[in-house]
Amino acid sequence: MKIELSKSPAAHIEAIGYEKTNLTEVLRIKINGVVHNFAGVPKIIYDELVGTLHRAEYLVKAVENNYKEF
């Protein structure tokens, strides 16, 4: 699965990408050189993450606490 990552203006979040397939929805985030993949993330969560000014806070609250990393 190749997900295009877009650069992020957030200090420690380098890039963010999203892909929806027939099997799952994947949010990919690159933080300090490490790529993290989260399964089952709805597109609305991705859209809100990209649109918020407080990405790190939203990432923890809405993604890391609710979706499994693989």
Side-chain angles (χ1 to χ4, degrees):
M1 172 183 324
K2 180 157 174 58
I3 298 175
E4 292 290 325
L5 294 174
S6 300
K7 290 188 178 198
S8 170
H12 74 285
I13 299 174
E14 296 172 41
I16 302 171
Y18 185 84
E19 181 174 271
K20 180 176 181 177
T21 68
N22 291 339
L23 301 174
T24 191
E25 299 158 314
V26 176
L27 174 66
R28 180 170 290 161
I29 301 173
K30 186 175 183 182
I31 301 172
N32 298 324
V34 179
V35 176
H36 303 270
N37 295 291
F38 295 90
V41 178
K43 180 134 181 356
I44 187 72
I45 299 294
Y46 166 76
D47 292 339
E48 289 174 356
L49 176 63
V50 170
T52 187
L53 295 176
H54 305 286
R55 288 185 177 170
E57 181 181 319
Y58 187 84
L59 176 64
V60 171
K61 183 177 81 173
V63 179
E64 290 178 353
N65 290 338
N66 297 302
Y67 299 97
K68 184 177 181 177
E69 185 174 358
F70 68 96

